[in-house]
Amino acid sequence: MLRNLKTLMGYTLAASDGEIGKVREMYFDDQSWKVRYLVVTAGSWLAGRDVLIAPRALGDIDEQNAAIAVHLTQEQVRDAPSIDSDPPVSRQDEQKYFQYYGWDPYWVMPGAVTGMIGMAMPGVVSPPLATQAEVSEKAEPGDRHLRSSQKVQDYGIRAQDGELGHISDFVIDDADWSVRYLVVATRNWLPGKHVLLAPDWVELISFEDGKAFVNLPRSAIKDAPEYDPASGVSRAYEEQLHQHYKQKNYWDAVEGQR
């Protein structure tokens, strides 16, 4: 299901034996556009510190109660290796984190689906793969492709013929926890309108300048189907959107792999 990231902000993460905390933001990979972690502000039981929860630990999303199930216990989260919650996250810390939970690291298996996989209890962790050690040894101190949604959220959009607006939100596909669309809030010449752009349709994102560059004229974006964040993203809307931008339907490839 496609969801606005802003609707998930403040959702409670519910472990099997109690609440972990509330979602504050996400960290995503700027190459694969996969969500790597939800940043969660833990409750008083964990001294109110932030913890990182990988999507593979997440279960069903309960919209009515604004909660996300987590296939972990409070004890597991409390005893997990501490990770600095500000990117760039140390690869060494990430490796300890994944080894603790008995998960295959995402950087060893590029492109792997980030869904739920088998988990080991803390203390019953299989030895790290040789490739893990080799990758960790050669890796940079921090993952430079890990980005904060809070920081990218205000990036400006520049079309071929000038400034357009800014990124105001993200549309997340909770089937594989990928960023499916950027929500663009236009301004000045398009007051109040929201449109969607898929990350693949963005030519370049300059994280140094805080801008996303789109190889399209402003008129093409101006005439795009308007997006109503309150209504969500239907398949009919996606079809209209892809037809407008003359882009292939991503869901055809996904369904063809099943």
PDB file of all heavy atoms in Angstrom, residues 223-254:
ATOM      1  N   ASP A 223       0.949  20.859 -15.748  1.00  0.00           N
ATOM      2  CA  ASP A 223      -0.212  20.155 -16.293  1.00  0.00           C
ATOM      3  C   ASP A 223      -0.357  18.733 -15.750  1.00  0.00           C
ATOM      4  O   ASP A 223      -1.252  17.995 -16.169  1.00  0.00           O
ATOM      5  CB  ASP A 223      -0.121  20.113 -17.823  1.00  0.00           C
ATOM      6  CG  ASP A 223      -0.199  21.500 -18.441  1.00  0.00           C
ATOM      7  OD1 ASP A 223      -0.800  22.384 -17.802  1.00  0.00           O
ATOM      8  OD2 ASP A 223       0.338  21.700 -19.547  1.00  0.00           O
ATOM      9  N   ALA A 224       0.529  18.323 -14.836  1.00  0.00           N
ATOM     10  CA  ALA A 224       0.459  16.972 -14.272  1.00  0.00           C
ATOM     11  C   ALA A 224      -0.796  16.840 -13.416  1.00  0.00           C
ATOM     12  O   ALA A 224      -1.308  17.828 -12.874  1.00  0.00           O
ATOM     13  CB  ALA A 224       1.696  16.693 -13.437  1.00  0.00           C
ATOM     14  N   PRO A 225      -1.328  15.622 -13.292  1.00  0.00           N
ATOM     15  CA  PRO A 225      -2.497  15.411 -12.438  1.00  0.00           C
ATOM     16  C   PRO A 225      -2.219  15.888 -11.014  1.00  0.00           C
ATOM     17  O   PRO A 225      -1.188  15.555 -10.432  1.00  0.00           O
ATOM     18  CB  PRO A 225      -2.699  13.890 -12.478  1.00  0.00           C
ATOM     19  CG  PRO A 225      -2.026  13.443 -13.722  1.00  0.00           C
ATOM     20  CD  PRO A 225      -0.863  14.364 -13.916  1.00  0.00           C
ATOM     21  N   GLU A 226      -3.121  16.686 -10.494  1.00  0.00           N
ATOM     22  CA  GLU A 226      -2.925  17.212  -9.146  1.00  0.00           C
ATOM     23  C   GLU A 226      -3.063  16.095  -8.122  1.00  0.00           C
ATOM     24  O   GLU A 226      -3.904  15.207  -8.247  1.00  0.00           O
ATOM     25  CB  GLU A 226      -3.937  18.320  -8.852  1.00  0.00           C
ATOM     26  CG  GLU A 226      -3.733  18.979  -7.496  1.00  0.00           C
ATOM     27  CD  GLU A 226      -4.579  20.226  -7.308  1.00  0.00           C
ATOM     28  OE1 GLU A 226      -5.332  20.574  -8.248  1.00  0.00           O
ATOM     29  OE2 GLU A 226      -4.499  20.834  -6.225  1.00  0.00           O
ATOM     30  N   TYR A 227      -2.218  16.154  -7.111  1.00  0.00           N
ATOM     31  CA  TYR A 227      -2.223  15.139  -6.060  1.00  0.00           C
ATOM     32  C   TYR A 227      -2.840  15.720  -4.791  1.00  0.00           C
ATOM     33  O   TYR A 227      -2.458  16.793  -4.327  1.00  0.00           O
ATOM     34  CB  TYR A 227      -0.796  14.668  -5.770  1.00  0.00           C
ATOM     35  CG  TYR A 227      -0.688  13.754  -4.570  1.00  0.00           C
ATOM     36  CD1 TYR A 227      -1.344  12.535  -4.550  1.00  0.00           C
ATOM     37  CD2 TYR A 227       0.072  14.122  -3.459  1.00  0.00           C
ATOM     38  CE1 TYR A 227      -1.251  11.691  -3.452  1.00  0.00           C
ATOM     39  CE2 TYR A 227       0.176  13.283  -2.359  1.00  0.00           C
ATOM     40  CZ  TYR A 227      -0.489  12.075  -2.363  1.00  0.00           C
ATOM     41  OH  TYR A 227      -0.406  11.236  -1.277  1.00  0.00           O
ATOM     42  N   ASP A 228      -3.795  14.979  -4.244  1.00  0.00           N
ATOM     43  CA  ASP A 228      -4.426  15.368  -2.994  1.00  0.00           C
ATOM     44  C   ASP A 228      -3.908  14.441  -1.895  1.00  0.00           C
ATOM     45  O   ASP A 228      -4.277  13.264  -1.848  1.00  0.00           O
ATOM     46  CB  ASP A 228      -5.952  15.243  -3.104  1.00  0.00           C
ATOM     47  CG  ASP A 228      -6.664  15.634  -1.809  1.00  0.00           C
ATOM     48  OD1 ASP A 228      -5.981  16.060  -0.853  1.00  0.00           O
ATOM     49  OD2 ASP A 228      -7.901  15.510  -1.755  1.00  0.00           O
ATOM     50  N   PRO A 229      -3.033  14.929  -1.022  1.00  0.00           N
ATOM     51  CA  PRO A 229      -2.481  14.071   0.033  1.00  0.00           C
ATOM     52  C   PRO A 229      -3.544  13.401   0.887  1.00  0.00           C
ATOM     53  O   PRO A 229      -3.327  12.300   1.401  1.00  0.00           O
ATOM     54  CB  PRO A 229      -1.635  15.049   0.862  1.00  0.00           C
ATOM     55  CG  PRO A 229      -1.279  16.147  -0.093  1.00  0.00           C
ATOM     56  CD  PRO A 229      -2.481  16.293  -0.973  1.00  0.00           C
ATOM     57  N   ALA A 230      -4.696  14.041   1.027  1.00  0.00           N
ATOM     58  CA  ALA A 230      -5.751  13.464   1.863  1.00  0.00           C
ATOM     59  C   ALA A 230      -6.427  12.267   1.202  1.00  0.00           C
ATOM     60  O   ALA A 230      -7.005  11.415   1.873  1.00  0.00           O
ATOM     61  CB  ALA A 230      -6.800  14.528   2.197  1.00  0.00           C
ATOM     62  N   SER A 231      -6.349  12.195  -0.119  1.00  0.00           N
ATOM     63  CA  SER A 231      -7.022  11.114  -0.853  1.00  0.00           C
ATOM     64  C   SER A 231      -6.128   9.904  -1.075  1.00  0.00           C
ATOM     65  O   SER A 231      -6.616   8.823  -1.415  1.00  0.00           O
ATOM     66  CB  SER A 231      -7.520  11.637  -2.209  1.00  0.00           C
ATOM     67  OG  SER A 231      -8.440  12.683  -2.024  1.00  0.00           O
ATOM     68  N   GLY A 232      -4.822  10.075  -0.924  1.00  0.00           N
ATOM     69  CA  GLY A 232      -3.923   8.959  -1.164  1.00  0.00           C
ATOM     70  C   GLY A 232      -3.683   8.728  -2.642  1.00  0.00           C
ATOM     71  O   GLY A 232      -4.102   9.515  -3.496  1.00  0.00           O
ATOM     72  N   VAL A 233      -2.989   7.633  -2.946  1.00  0.00           N
ATOM     73  CA  VAL A 233      -2.611   7.314  -4.322  1.00  0.00           C
ATOM     74  C   VAL A 233      -3.339   6.060  -4.776  1.00  0.00           C
ATOM     75  O   VAL A 233      -3.076   4.965  -4.283  1.00  0.00           O
ATOM     76  CB  VAL A 233      -1.085   7.096  -4.444  1.00  0.00           C
ATOM     77  CG1 VAL A 233      -0.696   6.843  -5.893  1.00  0.00           C
ATOM     78  CG2 VAL A 233      -0.328   8.303  -3.908  1.00  0.00           C
ATOM     79  N   SER A 234      -4.251   6.202  -5.711  1.00  0.00           N
ATOM     80  CA  SER A 234      -4.958   5.058  -6.273  1.00  0.00           C
ATOM     81  C   SER A 234      -4.220   4.577  -7.520  1.00  0.00           C
ATOM     82  O   SER A 234      -3.433   5.317  -8.128  1.00  0.00           O
ATOM     83  CB  SER A 234      -6.389   5.437  -6.639  1.00  0.00           C
ATOM     84  OG  SER A 234      -6.401   6.384  -7.703  1.00  0.00           O
ATOM     85  N   ARG A 235      -4.491   3.358  -7.943  1.00  0.00           N
ATOM     86  CA  ARG A 235      -3.869   2.840  -9.169  1.00  0.00           C
ATOM     87  C   ARG A 235      -4.338   3.634 -10.380  1.00  0.00           C
ATOM     88  O   ARG A 235      -3.569   3.879 -11.313  1.00  0.00           O
ATOM     89  CB  ARG A 235      -4.185   1.350  -9.318  1.00  0.00           C
ATOM     90  CG  ARG A 235      -3.587   0.676 -10.552  1.00  0.00           C
ATOM     91  CD  ARG A 235      -2.086   0.949 -10.732  1.00  0.00           C
ATOM     92  NE  ARG A 235      -1.275   0.643  -9.592  1.00  0.00           N
ATOM     93  CZ  ARG A 235      -0.796  -0.566  -9.303  1.00  0.00           C
ATOM     94  NH1 ARG A 235      -1.077  -1.583 -10.088  1.00  0.00           N
ATOM     95  NH2 ARG A 235      -0.025  -0.743  -8.236  1.00  0.00           N
ATOM     96  N   ALA A 236      -5.600   4.064 -10.368  1.00  0.00           N
ATOM     97  CA  ALA A 236      -6.111   4.877 -11.476  1.00  0.00           C
ATOM     98  C   ALA A 236      -5.329   6.184 -11.583  1.00  0.00           C
ATOM     99  O   ALA A 236      -4.997   6.638 -12.692  1.00  0.00           O
ATOM    100  CB  ALA A 236      -7.597   5.152 -11.284  1.00  0.00           C
ATOM    101  N   TYR A 237      -5.038   6.787 -10.432  1.00  0.00           N
ATOM    102  CA  TYR A 237      -4.253   8.030 -10.453  1.00  0.00           C
ATOM    103  C   TYR A 237      -2.840   7.750 -10.967  1.00  0.00           C
ATOM    104  O   TYR A 237      -2.285   8.538 -11.754  1.00  0.00           O
ATOM    105  CB  TYR A 237      -4.191   8.637  -9.049  1.00  0.00           C
ATOM    106  CG  TYR A 237      -3.260   9.824  -8.966  1.00  0.00           C
ATOM    107  CD1 TYR A 237      -3.697  11.102  -9.296  1.00  0.00           C
ATOM    108  CD2 TYR A 237      -1.937   9.661  -8.571  1.00  0.00           C
ATOM    109  CE1 TYR A 237      -2.838  12.183  -9.247  1.00  0.00           C
ATOM    110  CE2 TYR A 237      -1.072  10.738  -8.509  1.00  0.00           C
ATOM    111  CZ  TYR A 237      -1.528  12.001  -8.846  1.00  0.00           C
ATOM    112  OH  TYR A 237      -0.667  13.069  -8.795  1.00  0.00           O
ATOM    113  N   GLU A 238      -2.247   6.647 -10.529  1.00  0.00           N
ATOM    114  CA  GLU A 238      -0.892   6.313 -10.982  1.00  0.00           C
ATOM    115  C   GLU A 238      -0.858   6.111 -12.497  1.00  0.00           C
ATOM    116  O   GLU A 238       0.091   6.537 -13.171  1.00  0.00           O
ATOM    117  CB  GLU A 238      -0.400   5.052 -10.279  1.00  0.00           C
ATOM    118  CG  GLU A 238      -0.017   5.262  -8.834  1.00  0.00           C
ATOM    119  CD  GLU A 238       0.707   4.063  -8.270  1.00  0.00           C
ATOM    120  OE1 GLU A 238       0.017   3.057  -7.977  1.00  0.00           O
ATOM    121  OE2 GLU A 238       1.933   4.104  -8.142  1.00  0.00           O
ATOM    122  N   GLU A 239      -1.870   5.454 -13.034  1.00  0.00           N
ATOM    123  CA  GLU A 239      -1.922   5.238 -14.472  1.00  0.00           C
ATOM    124  C   GLU A 239      -1.989   6.574 -15.215  1.00  0.00           C
ATOM    125  O   GLU A 239      -1.291   6.789 -16.216  1.00  0.00           O
ATOM    126  CB  GLU A 239      -3.122   4.370 -14.827  1.00  0.00           C
ATOM    127  CG  GLU A 239      -2.985   2.926 -14.372  1.00  0.00           C
ATOM    128  CD  GLU A 239      -4.237   2.105 -14.616  1.00  0.00           C
ATOM    129  OE1 GLU A 239      -5.300   2.725 -14.903  1.00  0.00           O
ATOM    130  OE2 GLU A 239      -4.170   0.867 -14.523  1.00  0.00           O
ATOM    131  N   GLN A 240      -2.801   7.477 -14.705  1.00  0.00           N
ATOM    132  CA  GLN A 240      -2.913   8.807 -15.306  1.00  0.00           C
ATOM    133  C   GLN A 240      -1.588   9.561 -15.206  1.00  0.00           C
ATOM    134  O   GLN A 240      -1.156  10.231 -16.156  1.00  0.00           O
ATOM    135  CB  GLN A 240      -4.021   9.593 -14.594  1.00  0.00           C
ATOM    136  CG  GLN A 240      -4.326  10.945 -15.212  1.00  0.00           C
ATOM    137  CD  GLN A 240      -5.402  11.694 -14.441  1.00  0.00           C
ATOM    138  OE1 GLN A 240      -5.857  11.242 -13.390  1.00  0.00           O
ATOM    139  NE2 GLN A 240      -5.798  12.848 -14.954  1.00  0.00           N
ATOM    140  N   LEU A 241      -0.926   9.423 -14.073  1.00  0.00           N
ATOM    141  CA  LEU A 241       0.344  10.107 -13.849  1.00  0.00           C
ATOM    142  C   LEU A 241       1.420   9.596 -14.801  1.00  0.00           C
ATOM    143  O   LEU A 241       2.152  10.382 -15.425  1.00  0.00           O
ATOM    144  CB  LEU A 241       0.783   9.893 -12.394  1.00  0.00           C
ATOM    145  CG  LEU A 241       2.030  10.633 -11.925  1.00  0.00           C
ATOM    146  CD1 LEU A 241       1.749  12.121 -11.800  1.00  0.00           C
ATOM    147  CD2 LEU A 241       2.503  10.070 -10.575  1.00  0.00           C
ATOM    148  N   HIS A 242       1.523   8.267 -14.940  1.00  0.00           N
ATOM    149  CA  HIS A 242       2.548   7.686 -15.805  1.00  0.00           C
ATOM    150  C   HIS A 242       2.273   7.998 -17.277  1.00  0.00           C
ATOM    151  O   HIS A 242       3.207   8.205 -18.054  1.00  0.00           O
ATOM    152  CB  HIS A 242       2.636   6.176 -15.567  1.00  0.00           C
ATOM    153  CG  HIS A 242       3.386   5.808 -14.323  1.00  0.00           C
ATOM    154  ND1 HIS A 242       2.907   6.076 -13.063  1.00  0.00           N
ATOM    155  CD2 HIS A 242       4.595   5.210 -14.155  1.00  0.00           C
ATOM    156  CE1 HIS A 242       3.786   5.641 -12.158  1.00  0.00           C
ATOM    157  NE2 HIS A 242       4.807   5.116 -12.802  1.00  0.00           N
ATOM    158  N   GLN A 243       1.027   8.021 -17.639  1.00  0.00           N
ATOM    159  CA  GLN A 243       0.688   8.381 -19.015  1.00  0.00           C
ATOM    160  C   GLN A 243       1.068   9.828 -19.309  1.00  0.00           C
ATOM    161  O   GLN A 243       1.567  10.144 -20.391  1.00  0.00           O
ATOM    162  CB  GLN A 243      -0.808   8.163 -19.259  1.00  0.00           C
ATOM    163  CG  GLN A 243      -1.227   6.702 -19.319  1.00  0.00           C
ATOM    164  CD  GLN A 243      -2.729   6.525 -19.390  1.00  0.00           C
ATOM    165  OE1 GLN A 243      -3.488   7.495 -19.495  1.00  0.00           O
ATOM    166  NE2 GLN A 243      -3.184   5.272 -19.311  1.00  0.00           N
ATOM    167  N   HIS A 244       0.845  10.693 -18.341  1.00  0.00           N
ATOM    168  CA  HIS A 244       1.178  12.108 -18.532  1.00  0.00           C
ATOM    169  C   HIS A 244       2.677  12.295 -18.773  1.00  0.00           C
ATOM    170  O   HIS A 244       3.077  13.050 -19.665  1.00  0.00           O
ATOM    171  CB  HIS A 244       0.748  12.917 -17.305  1.00  0.00           C
ATOM    172  CG  HIS A 244       1.210  14.343 -17.335  1.00  0.00           C
ATOM    173  ND1 HIS A 244       0.593  15.305 -18.104  1.00  0.00           N
ATOM    174  CD2 HIS A 244       2.252  14.967 -16.700  1.00  0.00           C
ATOM    175  CE1 HIS A 244       1.213  16.460 -17.946  1.00  0.00           C
ATOM    176  NE2 HIS A 244       2.221  16.279 -17.094  1.00  0.00           N
ATOM    177  N   TYR A 245       3.490  11.598 -17.979  1.00  0.00           N
ATOM    178  CA  TYR A 245       4.946  11.741 -18.102  1.00  0.00           C
ATOM    179  C   TYR A 245       5.553  10.761 -19.105  1.00  0.00           C
ATOM    180  O   TYR A 245       6.762  10.736 -19.288  1.00  0.00           O
ATOM    181  CB  TYR A 245       5.608  11.549 -16.738  1.00  0.00           C
ATOM    182  CG  TYR A 245       5.415  12.712 -15.796  1.00  0.00           C
ATOM    183  CD1 TYR A 245       4.687  12.560 -14.616  1.00  0.00           C
ATOM    184  CD2 TYR A 245       5.953  13.961 -16.081  1.00  0.00           C
ATOM    185  CE1 TYR A 245       4.510  13.624 -13.744  1.00  0.00           C
ATOM    186  CE2 TYR A 245       5.786  15.038 -15.213  1.00  0.00           C
ATOM    187  CZ  TYR A 245       5.063  14.862 -14.052  1.00  0.00           C
ATOM    188  OH  TYR A 245       4.880  15.917 -13.187  1.00  0.00           O
ATOM    189  N   LYS A 246       4.680   9.943 -19.759  1.00  0.00           N
ATOM    190  CA  LYS A 246       5.131   8.955 -20.740  1.00  0.00           C
ATOM    191  C   LYS A 246       6.179   8.008 -20.134  1.00  0.00           C
ATOM    192  O   LYS A 246       7.235   7.734 -20.719  1.00  0.00           O
ATOM    193  CB  LYS A 246       5.690   9.645 -21.995  1.00  0.00           C
ATOM    194  CG  LYS A 246       4.644  10.480 -22.738  1.00  0.00           C
ATOM    195  CD  LYS A 246       5.249  11.147 -23.968  1.00  0.00           C
ATOM    196  CE  LYS A 246       4.184  11.842 -24.815  1.00  0.00           C
ATOM    197  NZ  LYS A 246       3.428  12.874 -24.066  1.00  0.00           N
ATOM    198  N   GLN A 247       5.851   7.493 -18.974  1.00  0.00           N
ATOM    199  CA  GLN A 247       6.732   6.579 -18.259  1.00  0.00           C
ATOM    200  C   GLN A 247       6.095   5.193 -18.178  1.00  0.00           C
ATOM    201  O   GLN A 247       4.873   5.058 -18.149  1.00  0.00           O
ATOM    202  CB  GLN A 247       6.999   7.098 -16.841  1.00  0.00           C
ATOM    203  CG  GLN A 247       7.726   8.419 -16.786  1.00  0.00           C
ATOM    204  CD  GLN A 247       9.166   8.315 -17.234  1.00  0.00           C
ATOM    205  OE1 GLN A 247       9.796   7.256 -17.105  1.00  0.00           O
ATOM    206  NE2 GLN A 247       9.710   9.414 -17.752  1.00  0.00           N
ATOM    207  N   LYS A 248       6.943   4.162 -18.142  1.00  0.00           N
ATOM    208  CA  LYS A 248       6.455   2.796 -18.011  1.00  0.00           C
ATOM    209  C   LYS A 248       5.889   2.580 -16.611  1.00  0.00           C
ATOM    210  O   LYS A 248       6.347   3.171 -15.633  1.00  0.00           O
ATOM    211  CB  LYS A 248       7.587   1.798 -18.267  1.00  0.00           C
ATOM    212  CG  LYS A 248       8.096   1.801 -19.700  1.00  0.00           C
ATOM    213  CD  LYS A 248       9.189   0.758 -19.883  1.00  0.00           C
ATOM    214  CE  LYS A 248       9.692   0.721 -21.312  1.00  0.00           C
ATOM    215  NZ  LYS A 248      10.768  -0.294 -21.489  1.00  0.00           N
ATOM    216  N   ASN A 249       4.906   1.713 -16.522  1.00  0.00           N
ATOM    217  CA  ASN A 249       4.302   1.389 -15.233  1.00  0.00           C
ATOM    218  C   ASN A 249       5.217   0.467 -14.437  1.00  0.00           C
ATOM    219  O   ASN A 249       5.509  -0.646 -14.875  1.00  0.00           O
ATOM    220  CB  ASN A 249       2.943   0.717 -15.426  1.00  0.00           C
ATOM    221  CG  ASN A 249       1.950   1.602 -16.163  1.00  0.00           C
ATOM    222  OD1 ASN A 249       2.040   2.830 -16.111  1.00  0.00           O
ATOM    223  ND2 ASN A 249       1.006   0.990 -16.853  1.00  0.00           N
ATOM    224  N   TYR A 250       5.681   0.923 -13.282  1.00  0.00           N
ATOM    225  CA  TYR A 250       6.589   0.109 -12.475  1.00  0.00           C
ATOM    226  C   TYR A 250       5.908  -1.168 -12.000  1.00  0.00           C
ATOM    227  O   TYR A 250       6.551  -2.204 -11.821  1.00  0.00           O
ATOM    228  CB  TYR A 250       7.093   0.908 -11.273  1.00  0.00           C
ATOM    229  CG  TYR A 250       6.045   1.187 -10.229  1.00  0.00           C
ATOM    230  CD1 TYR A 250       5.743   0.260  -9.224  1.00  0.00           C
ATOM    231  CD2 TYR A 250       5.327   2.384 -10.226  1.00  0.00           C
ATOM    232  CE1 TYR A 250       4.762   0.514  -8.284  1.00  0.00           C
ATOM    233  CE2 TYR A 250       4.358   2.636  -9.281  1.00  0.00           C
ATOM    234  CZ  TYR A 250       4.074   1.709  -8.312  1.00  0.00           C
ATOM    235  OH  TYR A 250       3.101   1.958  -7.376  1.00  0.00           O
ATOM    236  N   TRP A 251       4.592  -1.130 -11.783  1.00  0.00           N
ATOM    237  CA  TRP A 251       3.890  -2.294 -11.237  1.00  0.00           C
ATOM    238  C   TRP A 251       3.814  -3.438 -12.247  1.00  0.00           C
ATOM    239  O   TRP A 251       3.645  -4.582 -11.855  1.00  0.00           O
ATOM    240  CB  TRP A 251       2.506  -1.908 -10.744  1.00  0.00           C
ATOM    241  CG  TRP A 251       1.632  -1.224 -11.770  1.00  0.00           C
ATOM    242  CD1 TRP A 251       0.800  -1.808 -12.665  1.00  0.00           C
ATOM    243  CD2 TRP A 251       1.522   0.197 -11.983  1.00  0.00           C
ATOM    244  NE1 TRP A 251       0.162  -0.861 -13.431  1.00  0.00           N
ATOM    245  CE2 TRP A 251       0.580   0.381 -13.031  1.00  0.00           C
ATOM    246  CE3 TRP A 251       2.102   1.327 -11.386  1.00  0.00           C
ATOM    247  CZ2 TRP A 251       0.238   1.649 -13.497  1.00  0.00           C
ATOM    248  CZ3 TRP A 251       1.748   2.573 -11.845  1.00  0.00           C
ATOM    249  CH2 TRP A 251       0.824   2.738 -12.884  1.00  0.00           C
ATOM    250  N   ASP A 252       3.952  -3.146 -13.540  1.00  0.00           N
ATOM    251  CA  ASP A 252       3.976  -4.228 -14.541  1.00  0.00           C
ATOM    252  C   ASP A 252       5.202  -5.115 -14.320  1.00  0.00           C
ATOM    253  O   ASP A 252       5.111  -6.345 -14.390  1.00  0.00           O
ATOM    254  CB  ASP A 252       3.993  -3.651 -15.950  1.00  0.00           C
ATOM    255  CG  ASP A 252       2.666  -2.978 -16.329  1.00  0.00           C
ATOM    256  OD1 ASP A 252       1.650  -3.308 -15.689  1.00  0.00           O
ATOM    257  OD2 ASP A 252       2.679  -2.139 -17.231  1.00  0.00           O
ATOM    258  N   ALA A 253       6.335  -4.487 -14.056  1.00  0.00           N
ATOM    259  CA  ALA A 253       7.559  -5.253 -13.822  1.00  0.00           C
ATOM    260  C   ALA A 253       7.486  -6.016 -12.519  1.00  0.00           C
ATOM    261  O   ALA A 253       7.912  -7.165 -12.426  1.00  0.00           O
ATOM    262  CB  ALA A 253       8.771  -4.310 -13.812  1.00  0.00           C
ATOM    263  N   VAL A 254       6.905  -5.393 -11.480  1.00  0.00           N
ATOM    264  CA  VAL A 254       6.792  -6.035 -10.180  1.00  0.00           C
ATOM    265  C   VAL A 254       5.892  -7.252 -10.262  1.00  0.00           C
ATOM    266  O   VAL A 254       6.215  -8.337  -9.771  1.00  0.00           O
ATOM    267  CB  VAL A 254       6.246  -5.039  -9.126  1.00  0.00           C
ATOM    268  CG1 VAL A 254       5.935  -5.761  -7.817  1.00  0.00           C
ATOM    269  CG2 VAL A 254       7.255  -3.918  -8.890  1.00  0.00           C
TER     270      VAL A 254
END
